Amino acid sequence: MRCGPLCQFLWLWLYLSYIQAVPIQKLQGDAEILIMTIISRINIISHMQPVPLKHKVSGFDFIPLHTDLSLSKIEETLAVYQQIIINLSSQNKMQISNDLDNLRDLIRMIASSKGCPLPYNRSSATLQNLRGPLRDSVFSTEVVALSRLQRFLKEMLLQLDVSLMC
Amino acid sequence: MACWTFCVALLHCEFLYVMAAFNPAYPVTPWGFTLSCLPANKTEDPASSVPGVSSNASSLSGGTEAAAEGRLNSSGFHVAHLSPAASHCCFWSEQGTSCPVRVGVAEGETLVSTVESPVSQQLGVDWNLQCWMQGDLKLFICSGEPLLKSLFQNYDLQAQLFHVLAEAAEDAHLAPQKGGFESVQCNGSREGRWECRVPVPTAKLNSTLLMYVKITAAGGTFQSPLMSARPINVVKPDPPLDLHMEITEDGNLNISWYSPTLAPFPLQYQVKYSENSSTVLREVDETVSAPALLADSVLPGCSYEARVRSRRLDGPGVWSDWSAPRVFTTQGIQNPTQSLVWVVHMQSLKLCKAATEQRKYVMYFPPKILTSAGSNVSFHCVYKNETMIVSSEEIVWWVNLAEEIPPSQYYAVSDRVSKVTFLDVKATKPRGVFTYDAVYCCQGHHCHHRYAELYVIDVNINISCETDGHLTKMTCRWSADPARSLVGSSWQLWYHRSSLYCSDRASLHPISEPKDCYLQQDGFYECIFQPIFLLSGYTMWIRVNHSLGSLDSPPTCIVPESVVKPLPPANVKAEITANIGLLKISWEKPIFPENKLQFQIRYGLRGQETQWKTHEVADIKTRSASVPVRDLCVVHAVQVRCRRLDALGYWSDWSSAAYTAVTDVKVPARGPEFWRRVNGDATKRERNVTLLWRPLMKSDSLCSVRRYVVKHQTARDGTWSEDAGDRTQLTFLWAEPAHTVTVLAINSIGASLANFNLTFSWPVSEVNVVQSLGAYPLNSSCVILSWILSPGDYSLMHFIIEWKNLDEDDEIKWLRIPSSVKKYYIHDYFIPIEKYQFSLYPIFSEGVGKPKTINGFTKADEGHPNDAGLYVIVPIIISSSVLLLGTLLISRQRMKKLFWEDVPNPKNCSWAQGLNFQKRTDIL
């Protein structure tokens, strides 16, 4: 109970110290490289064929499709994807999950350096809806989730070149 | 008197009635109390079960704040509607002798009376009760244990605790309804023990907990009176942790510990330690508010046992359990004799064992030190000689009984304690089974056999990591240098992962975990992290666990993304570009990493030991490069590797080799050199001429010749070509005064551009410009051919030297040499006893001139005079002549003088008398 404010303060201090030390150009550069890495990882998954945009697969409303590319939304969306990825059966799921974890940290640091009011606690999305599709249609879930994640990352990559808003 | 007694009894009853109307709860005391129950049939009204009242709480609580608070809380409490019980219980404690008991009541009423002695103890069951708040401030615990355990041996016991939390002290005055109590089932045992646990929210620690216990055992039911407690007032901390004893620099015993809980209030500590020697047992009991106690001077040869407990510093509370006892034994005397005396004081030092027990002793503190190389360490010692403690000024220090420590390294801390310091210690080199340095504290040259042990381990371990090309695995390695490790020590890699990057200074992190590493054949430990966080900072260090403690190597922080060793470039291809003649290499970038990459090429001729040349690719975006190579018509091997452009990480391995194919690159650089053999009668105008040429080398043909073509040109017939195929000779008829031929080499790309031609001309064949020709053998493999040309102005294109063995029917051999040379070394296999013919053909642009031919080698005296000999002999002859003339002249003078000296004196010589020697002197 006593640790709460203290821990938050330490967390804030840690972030601020990082922000001072790491220029935003490096953060953005690393974010771009990491995004490209995740996209490539998805590409080399053997059964992974991108779902055409015109295809609509029902039952996956919980997987983000069109997302507002603000920093806070990006972080939230990445958190959702991370939870989904962990539950997939893909060969590289843990590595992709770790990459997403790093990407979320980068986004948070970029947000902090821009003075965006991002909550200091990381989002931890809970996906109750994931269990059903995972049980009934693992393949569809995996293909749709990875396709949407890939598409989201590409949009994010484009946006990184311009500027990300809070 | 009877009236007085009646009045007193009446007042007493009135008092009890009033107290019953207030119905206060019994305040729980921190030190425990007793619950005494009378069996139901012993009470006036067994059906009545309303909790009793403590009317004499002060005597129970001993005046503590908890008790006082309990009294305050209990005033005015009403419990009229609590459930009835089958028995009749009351509380009492050792702090007082009174016990409240209830007497016959009807349901819904409360009547209590007090007795001066615990009658129920004789007639019913007694439990020792204790209630406290657990150290984690989450559980309130009440436990009970029967005084006579045998009563419950054959019965199951069931206990229930009914409780309610009153928000404030005022709320406790209101009578809770029967239904307002919550019950918890307690753990019971056959011995009659029970324990009830009530969860208390952290926010309610200051509230009042009202409760009573209902016990069913031995065929009866017992219900306690109402109890009250404020959880915060009965907190029982967990016992202190990590009790530690050490000798201070001054030789005192320092006892320290850690408080284990986050108690919401300051704690006080009770330390109990005993000093135990073979003669005396001394116990000390002290209470302190700090988590440390400085005890008396340490006595050599003693053992100290200490334990600590804690309690709230200000206000009520419950003592924690005692910590686990810790025993600390100082170095002392061995083989104690039987003449024991008790503790003596000697120069302010107390001795656990008497001086008569042992004549000498030495005590080191600490007795053993484990440290890392490069650090500074100190030992202290107390030395006793015979009957006296040796003055610390007289103490000297030695290492391994061989090396005296310089006095600058030690000094006297006090009159009896000497301290030696080792600066920047080096790693201990094991000597046999001894893996430490023995440090001795001596009086001059007299040393006690006891020593301190210094273990120094080199923990400067370099940890290097490498992330694989798939960016999924980081392999870290560190050397397991056997010289570094000590027997009995184990090594383990620990790490901490930060979310992003490394901090400027890597440091050991309290939250860390070990990593399994495996010894490889190359003597390195290897640890694998998979999967990895690419951008996280992995701070790693090696922890050396030794029986004396553990040491940590300096931490290293590594971000996996910065130590990537990419996969080698894929799909490498190599070719010699057509027409341009460059070695062209192309490749594909590996999938990972996505960073910008630089590439390096190495190439060389294929062979067993390829001599590689490297080429840096300047343009990072390109995926191909061309390099010039000298030899275009051989197989080249090519490999490519890459690394990050910012030079972070490692070079990839070289890709698998790609090889060039040998194909025609360009048209042949030139046509073949050729010569002719003329057949037939030299006097005839039409003769057969056979052209001879050597096959083109690859370096000239670039890289192959498909066929040769002879191009003819005459004044009458013009120009025509004749295909010779892949043959190297061609015969044609020379029938015109001038016939020019050119031999072309043809490959898949085209015909040679630079070609030799030869004109056969009748008039020119009569032109003789070679005045002389000589052939001088140097050895069996070399002959010098020299010639002299006639003076004149003519344009020579080149010469053709032709030679053949006349003794054998060999084919002619020929060479084309430039027109500027005057002699030429012919390398061939020459047999001195055989005869050779040498011919020199001057080649003009208009045609082949008349050759000069010689048969056999030129002798020394023919041909050209030996100019060198002439130049040597003539001066010798001249100088010899001069010398001879000079000799003659000198001889004449000497003869003249000699003769004149021997001319006889006419006076002495008869035959000379009368002669006039003056007249005919000229004849001599």
Side-chain angles (χ1 to χ4, degrees), chain B residues 24-196:
Chain B
Y26 178 79
V28 169
T29 57
W31 49 82
F33 47 95
T34 301
L35 173 68
S36 296
C37 292
L38 289 173
N41 57 5
K42 299 284 182 184
T43 61
E44 293 178 9
D45 184 1
S48 173
S49 64
V50 181
V53 176
S54 171
S55 64
N56 197 7
S58 62
S59 65
L60 296 174
S61 63
T64 65
E65 287 184 32
E69 193 175 36
R71 285 198 303 276
L72 183 64
N73 292 341
S74 65
S75 62
F77 189 72
H78 184 64
V79 288
H81 299 290
L82 294 180
S83 63
S87 65
H88 178 156
C89 300
C90 67
F91 291 121
W92 65 282
S93 76
E94 293 174 353
Q95 305 301 316
T97 54
S98 64
C99 173
V101 294
R102 289 175 291 108
V103 291
V105 289
E107 187 172 352
E109 296 179 359
T110 300
L111 285 174
V112 292
S113 64
T114 57
V115 291
E116 297 301 321
S117 63
V119 179
S120 60
Q121 203 169 17
Q122 300 167 11
L123 304 175
V125 183
D126 294 337
W127 277 277
N128 282 332
L129 262 62
Q130 191 166 21
C131 298
W132 69 91
M133 189 70 199
Q134 219 176 32
D136 59 3
L137 304 179
K138 289 179 180 173
L139 277 180
F140 184 88
I141 300 175
C142 269
S143 69
E145 186 176 8
L147 291 181
L148 290 172
K149 294 175 185 173
S150 58
L151 280 177
F152 298 95
Q153 272 185 348
N154 298 320
Y155 300 96
D156 287 331
L157 181 142
Q158 287 187 338
Q160 269 187 302
L161 181 77
F162 296 85
H163 62 92
V164 65
L165 262 173
E167 288 293 331
E170 290 76 17
D171 296 343
H173 300 165
L174 304 173
Q177 297 301 310
K178 182 180 178 183
F181 280 81
E182 293 180 30
S183 70
V184 292
Q185 196 66 37
C186 310
N187 298 326
S189 70
R190 278 182 172 263
E191 289 78 27
R193 282 196 295 267
W194 49 269
E195 184 178 283
C196 313

Side-chain angles (χ1 to χ4, degrees), chain B residues 267-279:
Chain B
L267 296 175
Q268 59 179 315
Y269 305 95
Q270 189 178 21
V271 187
K272 190 173 280 187
Y273 74 93
S274 61
E275 182 181 281
N276 187 12
S277 73
S278 57
T279 57

